[in-house]
Structure formats: C-alpha cells, structure tokens
C-alpha cells in the first residue's frame, strides 16, 4: 500500500529539525504547512532529469540516482530538511509581511455578513434548484474569533444558494457537507475561498461526489465546542499536534498498523486491506479505545485514515500525545481523496457518507453481508422500529419477508406495535445491537 500512498502528497521533515525551531504561527499553521509542502515539491521537481536509455533514473541528487518517487521523497526528507525549513520560513515571513495590513483589516472587519454573500442576480433561479447536482465534503482548522457570525453567514449563504446539509462551526474551525446543484456548489466554494478567515483553504479541500440537495432532509448549521465530536477538549488536545502526512515509508507489516478511525458501521461496508478497524459506535469513544489498547500501538508506526481527514486530525493528535508510537501518519484528504485518485487501489467496498445516500461506490466490491441470510449486501437502511436509530443491512429478499429491523429484539417489537409509548411520542432505545457490543473493545493484531 505504501507505494500507492506515497504519490498522494508529502509533508515530511527529518529529525534534525526540532519543533522548537519552527516559527510559532499558531493562527497560520495550515499556511505554514502549505508553504512547506510547496517548497518540498519544488525542491524535488528541481532534481528531476529527463530519462534516457542509458540512464532511466528520473531524479538526481547528492550524486545519487532515484527511479521511484518514494525514494527521492525519503532522500530529500532525511537529507535536506534544514534547507526546506529555511526556505519555508523565509517565504512565510514574506507572505506574512505582505499580508499584515490585510490581517489588521480582518480583525477590524464589519459584522455585516452580506458582503460575504455572492451576487446571484446573473444566475437564473432554476439553476440553483434544477440540473446536475453534487455533494461537497470539507473541513478547515483555523482560528475563528466569532463562530456565531460565521454560523449566521453559513446559514444565509446556504439558504441563498438553495443548499441543504450539515455545517459545524467552532472556534477551532469549520466542518461541513452540503448538497445542491453544481451551479450552487461552485458559488459556495467561491464564497468560502473568498472569505478572509478561510483564505488558507484551497479548491482541492472540497471533496465532491454525485448527489444534490435531495441527499439531506434539511439544512443544519450550528456552533459547537468541536468541529468533529471527539469528547476531548480541543484546547488540551489540538489538531496542531498532528503532523499532516500522506506519506508512509515502506515498512514491514509487523512495524506498521493501518488504523481506521471511523465507526464500525462505516468500516463494515468498506475498508483498506489488512487494516485495524475498531468496533466502536462513535468517534467520541476513540480516546477511550486508544487508552484501552495502548500496548497495541507501542513502538509501532501508525497510519490513520477516515472519510475526509478531519477525524484523523484530532485522532492522530490524541494518539501522539500518548508518546507510545514510533511515528503517526494520516492519509491526506481521507478515503474520499484517495478513491478519487485510486478507485481500484487498496480500498475495497463502499464509502459510508453521513447523508441519505448512506454510501457511495468507487468499485464493485461488496465486503459486507445481509444481517439475516448472509448474502453479499451493503445497502444500509434505518431499522424499521420507530424508536430505534440503528442502521441495518437487510437484502431485498429478506425485506420482502418482513425482516426490516436491526436485530431480533427490534424485529419482535416491530411485530408488536403495542410496545409503542401510549403518548405517541417516539424515543431512542438501546437494542440488542448495542447492548451486546462492548463499548470499548480490546483488540489484538
């Protein structure tokens, strides 16, 4: 898998550059990260030479020849980190100096959010309602001084563009998935990239998939403590502790763990080959899972992945804070970005998404099975019991037989409608699916 992952993106510095040597740009960490990646890529590109019959090597550096991108990346990371670091800081100093006046204007910016809403007078309203659609998935860690204002801006922006979906805003950044026509989503991306607080975002930060406004029942925008619910105070365990890397050296299976940070029902229908997929129901259980399984990660190199990358930002920071791993990596852009580039790569099955589609397909593999007859099946539906919120894999044949609940307990309740509360109000209830599953599993390799 390393040979495929290596071509995605690289952000790596050798051990001789200490964290203390890096400039303290907490509010512009992602900008520093972007400049460093650009500098690294330009350095590698400068070593590229046209291949010949006598010399098929693609890169030359320090008197050595390299045929594989992984080899030149590793060489530059280990031997030229100081140069990369120096050029990066010099470029960043120039950018911050030129941008100082703009930063000051941002701090004194008017609370009039209408200036951040795009003009759609030239766009026929039908183009915001009808036509080809898509769903966007994105996140951005950045310091938001006024999350409430950003929240209101997002509400107005989405309503103006007829978008549906979910957007979480916090002091640490923004995380969202929205659906609408392609005209509307393109306007949304432009509005996001033009906002002064989110200027560190780039077009490639928005992952796209087929869909539209119909993929969500409504629009939900709110201010939260965290942009991804982990249950750990972001002021204590910050995403800034995680080194964003989409490159992992070619290590033996004994030294490397490929860790799926998602919930069990996500990894059940799709995952990377030979991964460790924790049997947890919520990401907020992940810190407890790490604590319970610390020995599993001791002296290992861990490559973490999730849907779009956001859970890995927090999860890798938490794992690194335990100081038991040799190194911790994360898959840049998550599974979504990986599958866009490698649909026939090492990820098999469907990609679970948190909207009414439940899953999107990049390959034809089916790795899960029907809850009742065990035939290959990976199309989720909600449990038919009114007061259960679990997802169930029940094939067409079994559903026609009335097997539409997530477990026998719920199936019995479905057949006996007298169990519904007399006041007619529905309520959430733990069923056999959750009661029989340990909250925090103890895993082995």
């Amino acid at each position: 898998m390393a040979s495929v992952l290596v071509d995605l993106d690289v952000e790596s510095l050798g051990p001789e550059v200490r964290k203390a040597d890096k400039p303290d740009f907490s509010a512009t960490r992602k900008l520093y990260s972007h400049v460093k990646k650009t500098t690294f890529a330009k350095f590698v590109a400068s070593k590229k030479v046209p291949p010949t019959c006598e010399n098929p090597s693609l890169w030359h550096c320090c008197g050595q020849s390299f045929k594989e991108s992984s080899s030149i990346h590793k060489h530059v990371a280990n031997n030229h980190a100081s140069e990369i670091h120096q050029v990066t800081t010099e470029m960043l100093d120039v950018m911050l100096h030129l941008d100082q006046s703009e930063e000051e204007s941002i701090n004194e910016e008017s609370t009039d959010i209408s200036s951040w809403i795009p003009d759609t007078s030239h766009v026929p309203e039908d183009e915001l309602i009808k036509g080809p659609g898509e769903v966007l998935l994105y996140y951005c860690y950045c310091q938001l001084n006024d999350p409430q204002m950003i929240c209101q801006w997002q509400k107005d922006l989405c309503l103006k563009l007829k978008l549906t979906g979910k957007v979480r805003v916090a002091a640490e950044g923004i995380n969202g998935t929205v659906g609408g026509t392609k005209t509307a989503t393109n306007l949304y991306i432009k509005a996001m990239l033009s906002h002064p607080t989110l200027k560190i975002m780039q077009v490639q930060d928005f992952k796209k998939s087929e869909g539209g406004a119909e993929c969500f029942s409504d629009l939900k925008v709110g201010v939260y403590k965290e942009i991804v619910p982990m249950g750990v105070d972001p002021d204590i365990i910050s995403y800034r502790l995680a080194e964003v890397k989409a490159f992992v050296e070619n290590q033996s299976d004994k030294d490397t763990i490929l860790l799926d940070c998602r919930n069990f029902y996500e990894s059940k229908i799709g995952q990377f080959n030979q991964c460790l997929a924790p049997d947890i129901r919520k990401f907020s259980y992940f810190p407890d899972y790490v604590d319970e399984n610390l020995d599993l990660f001791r002296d290992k190199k861990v490559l973490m992945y999730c849907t779009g990358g956001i859970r890995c930002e927090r999860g890798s920071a938490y794992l690194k804070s335990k100081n038991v791993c040799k190194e911790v990596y994360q898959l840049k852009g998550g599974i979504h970005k990986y599958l866009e580039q490698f649909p026939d790569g090492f990820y098999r099955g469907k990609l679970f998404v948190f909207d009414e589609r439940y899953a999107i397909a990049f390959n034809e593999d089916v790795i899960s099975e029907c809850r009742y007859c065990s035939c290959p099946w990976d199309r989720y539906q909600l449990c038919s019991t009114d007061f259960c919120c679990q997802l169930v894999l029940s094939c067409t044949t079994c559903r026609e037989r009335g097997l539409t609940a997530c477990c026998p307990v719920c199936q019995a309740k479905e057949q006996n409608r007298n169990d519904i509360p007399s006041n007619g109000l529905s309520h959430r209830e733990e069923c056999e699916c959750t009661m029989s599953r340990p909250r925090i599993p103890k895993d082995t390799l």
Side-chain angles (χ1 to χ4, degrees), residues 121-159:
S121 59
H122 63 290
V123 180
E125 188 168 357
D126 278 355
E127 291 189 17
L128 299 179
I129 303 174
K130 302 176 182 177
E134 63 184 2
V135 172
L136 302 178
L137 175 67
Y138 70 90
Y139 72 92
C140 178
Y141 276 109
C142 58
Q143 188 64 37
L144 299 182
N145 295 326
D146 193 341
Q148 292 291 346
M149 185 192 302
I150 298 298
C151 178
Q152 187 59 53
W153 167 58
Q154 281 290 306
K155 288 180 181 178
D156 294 351
L157 177 62
C158 291
L159 290 174

Side-chain angles (χ1 to χ4, degrees), residues 176-411:
T177 177
V178 295
T181 65
K182 290 187 176 181
T183 298
T185 54
N186 285 335
L187 288 170
Y188 182 81
I189 293 175
K190 290 181 180 178
M192 292 287 285
L193 297 180
S194 64
H195 194 284
T197 307
L198 303 175
K199 62 183 178 180
I200 58 176
M201 295 192 75
Q202 303 173 45
V203 174
Q204 55 265 36
D205 290 329
F206 295 85
K207 294 95 177 176
K208 300 179 179 181
S209 59
E210 293 184 3
E214 69 279 3
C215 293
F216 304 92
S217 58
D218 54 14
L219 174 67
K220 297 179 181 179
V221 184
V223 175
Y224 301 85
K225 179 70 173 178
E226 308 166 277
I227 60 174
V228 57
M230 182 179 178
V232 177
D233 193 328
D235 293 332
I236 299 175
I237 300 296
S238 169
Y239 70 93
R240 297 188 182 96
L241 293 178
E243 296 179 12
V244 186
K245 297 182 180 180
F247 166 78
V248 61
E249 299 175 5
N250 189 11
Q251 301 292 330
S252 66
D253 291 339
K254 294 181 180 179
D255 295 331
T256 304
I257 296 176
L258 185 58
L259 178 60
D260 193 322
C261 294
R262 301 173 300 160
N263 305 320
F264 78 90
Y265 51 85
E266 298 175 75
S267 59
K268 188 173 185 177
I269 62 172
Q271 57 183 242
F272 279 107
N273 295 336
Q274 299 180 342
C275 74
L276 172 61
D279 190 21
I280 55 176
R281 291 185 58 234
K282 303 176 181 178
F283 184 60
S284 57
Y285 294 174
F286 185 78
D288 289 339
Y289 173 81
V290 169
D291 293 344
E292 181 68 21
N293 294 274
L294 275 182
D295 288 339
L296 202 66
F297 306 112
R298 195 174 304 279
D299 299 324
K300 295 290 195 299
K301 291 192 175 184
V302 180
L303 171 61
M304 306 173 71
Y305 70 87
C306 59
T307 304
I310 185 171
R311 282 177 280 186
C312 288
E313 294 270 9
R314 295 295 304 281
S316 59
Y318 188 82
L319 183 56
K320 289 188 69 176
S321 73
K322 298 301 176 178
N323 295 316
V324 297
C325 303
K326 284 183 179 178
E327 295 179 70
V328 179
Y329 300 89
Q330 65 182 86
L331 185 60
K332 177 73 172 178
I335 305 167
H336 203 298
K337 184 63 68 175
Y338 176 89
L339 287 173
E340 287 178 5
Q341 300 184 45
F342 305 103
D344 296 317
F346 288 92
Y347 186 91
R348 311 317 306 167
K350 301 294 191 298
L351 173 60
F352 185 92
V353 290
F354 289 92
D355 57 51
E356 295 183 5
R357 297 172 297 174
Y358 292 125
I360 53 180
F362 290 84
N363 55 65
E364 299 300 321
D365 291 359
V366 178
I367 69 168
S368 51
E369 58 186 32
C370 173
R371 168 75 169 81
Y372 293 96
C373 71
S374 300
C375 75
W377 192 257
D378 59 8
R379 301 177 189 175
Y380 274 123
Q381 287 187 299
L382 279 174
C383 176
S384 55
T385 308
D386 290 341
F387 41 81
C388 180
C389 299
Q390 301 297 314
L391 292 169
V392 58
L393 292 172
S394 179
C395 70
T396 302
T397 301
C398 289
R399 294 191 72 82
E400 290 175 350
R401 293 168 50 204
L403 301 175
T404 56
C406 63
C407 65
V409 172
C410 278
Q411 189 65 44

Side-chain angles (χ1 to χ4, degrees), residues 56-70:
S57 300
L58 296 178
W59 294 273
H60 287 287
C61 187
C62 300
Q64 302 179 53
S65 299
F66 304 91
K67 297 180 181 180
E68 302 291 336
S69 59
S70 58

